[in-house]
Amino acid sequence: MKRAFPILAVLTGVLLGYALHQALVSAPTEQTMGDVQRIFYYHVPSAWTAFILFFVNFFASIMYLIWRANKADIVALVTAEVGVVFCTVVLVTGPIWARPVWGIWWTWDLRLTLTLVLWLIYVSYLVLRRFSSSGQTPLLAAVLAVFGALDVPLVYFSIWFFRTQHPQPVIGGGGSLDPRMLHALLINWLAFSCFAALVCWSRYRLEVLRREVDETLALEALLEPRGSQTRISPTGRAG
Amino acid sequence: MTYLYAAYIATWVIHIAYLGSLLRRYTRLRNEIAEFKGQIEEKS
């Protein structure tokens, strides 16, 4: 597994470079919006990646609630954290696209508002995990994640079932997309998915190490006689 | 074009900032491990 990491890192780097070339050079310029439409190649794949990560977080949280598996808890934490990063990208690139196209940075449109709510839910999940030192924290976080995940399909389907200002879906929504644009979109999605997997992997290893250190320190503190305890105290916090 | 570059740059600033935070946490953890090992060696 250790040998696979640098190989995946190099492949992801090459793929990200190729995807950037596809987005900026190979994909044709959209007639109405012009070059600003190319933001779509970063905005949409980031949103899809965030949704996948939040779904993994949901299933890992369910697994934790059923089996109390430590690994499931770590996967839930890692995917929530990386998912928030991708959701932040969505919330930043969206308004940058909206300003020249709609003439405004933000509107309280259903999809935009639900995406902001989704981001806030997972930020509160991370705040809970970061600042609560209770032994019940993973359990409470898993429950929050299960309810938080309900917002993901609401965000995704909001433009299917409601009239919103946000553009209609380009895939499966009756809209047509130039094949070269579709290629650029899918390559960028693949590249960002590989990048997300790589970051999740690193974060997972860091969290495993963090917990091992905390457990060792806690054990050391228990075994030592009072008054001569180790200076570093186990924090019990994430990463 | 300014908006396009702003969006792409913002995306990578966010990702690099997060990778930086991971690196900082990893360095802190490594220092904790080194300190802990030092304490054990001191005792033995």
Side-chain angles (χ1 to χ4, degrees), chain A residues 20 23 35 38 42 81 85-86 93 96 99 195 199 203 206 210 213 217 220 224 230-232 239, chain B residues 1 3-4 6-8 10-12 14-15 18-19 22 25-26 28-29 32-33 35-36 39-40 43:
Chain A
L20 184 66
D35 276 326
R38 294 178 195 273
Y42 266 33
E81 203 173 285
V85 173
F86 276 89
T93 53
I96 296 175
R99 183 69 183 91
F195 179 68
V199 176
R203 182 66 185 88
L206 177 67
R210 164 92 261 163
V213 169
L217 290 173
E220 176 78 9
E224 272 189 17
T230 320
R231 281 195 301 274
I232 315 161
Chain B
M1 283 298 263
Y3 288 102
L4 173 65
Y8 278 44
T11 300
W12 284 109
I14 291 165
H15 285 308
Y18 179 64
L19 291 177
L22 281 188
R25 281 186 268 182
Y26 181 69
R28 201 167 54 209
L29 190 60
E32 269 184 46
I33 293 169
E35 198 181 331
F36 182 57
Q39 282 177 13
I40 289 173
K43 279 178 207 165

Side-chain angles (χ1 to χ4, degrees), chain A:
Chain A
M1 288 292 269
K2 273 186 182 174
R3 223 178 274 169
F5 187 84
I7 295 169
L8 184 64
V10 170
L11 282 176
T12 305
V14 171
L15 202 56
L16 281 167
Y18 175 66
L20 184 66
H21 181 266
Q22 286 293 310
L24 290 178
V25 181
S26 301
T29 307
E30 208 268 341
Q31 285 179 347
T32 323
M33 289 182 268
D35 276 326
V36 80
Q37 179 271 339
R38 294 178 195 273
I39 293 175
F40 162 86
Y41 302 116
Y42 266 33
H43 178 77
V44 176
S46 297
W48 288 350
T49 309
F51 290 162
I52 290 169
L53 289 167
F54 291 147
F55 265 117
V56 176
N57 170 273
F58 170 73
F59 287 115
S61 300
I62 294 275
M63 281 172 71
Y64 181 77
L65 287 174
I66 297 171
W67 293 298
R68 297 287 192 274
N70 204 30
K71 277 185 180 176
D73 182 48
I74 299 175
V75 169
L77 170 67
V78 166
T79 47
E81 203 173 285
V82 182
V84 164
V85 173
F86 276 89
C87 201
T88 307
V89 169
V90 175
L91 286 170
V92 169
T93 53
I96 296 175
W97 170 86
R99 183 69 183 91
V101 177
W102 291 346
I104 46 168
W105 292 101
W106 182 268
T107 176
W108 293 102
D109 168 89
L110 188 63
R111 174 166 261 196
L112 274 65
T113 309
L114 284 173
T115 309
L116 181 64
V117 168
L118 182 72
W119 183 82
L120 287 171
I121 289 170
Y122 283 95
V123 166
S124 58
Y125 172 94
L126 295 177
V127 168
L128 172 70
R129 301 213 59 144
R130 177 70 181 79
F131 294 106
S132 169
S133 55
S134 156
Q136 296 290 308
T137 305
L139 185 72
L140 293 171
V143 174
L144 176 63
V146 169
F147 284 107
L150 295 175
D151 194 33
V152 175
L154 287 179
V155 172
Y156 187 77
F157 290 109
S158 57
I159 53 170
W160 292 62
F161 300 126
F162 300 96
R163 191 183 291 252
T164 71
Q165 197 167 339
H166 191 278
Q168 290 303 298
V170 286
I171 296 173
S176 62
L177 194 65
D178 184 289
R180 286 170 298 167
M181 286 180 169
L182 183 64
H183 176 75
L185 175 69
L186 295 178
I187 284 293
N188 272 281
W189 185 32
L190 179 67
F192 277 111
S193 298
C194 289
F195 179 68
L198 207 63
V199 176
C200 283
W201 189 347
S202 309
R203 182 66 185 88
Y204 181 88
R205 280 165 59 181
L206 177 67
E207 187 60 25
V208 169
L209 193 61
R210 164 92 261 163
R211 289 184 186 205
E212 279 174 5
V213 169
D214 283 348
E215 277 170 24
T216 312
L217 290 173
L219 198 65
E220 176 78 9
L222 274 175
L223 292 174
E224 272 189 17
R226 277 180 184 274
S228 63
Q229 287 180 351
T230 320
R231 281 195 301 274
I232 315 161
S233 61
T235 55
R237 60 181 161 71

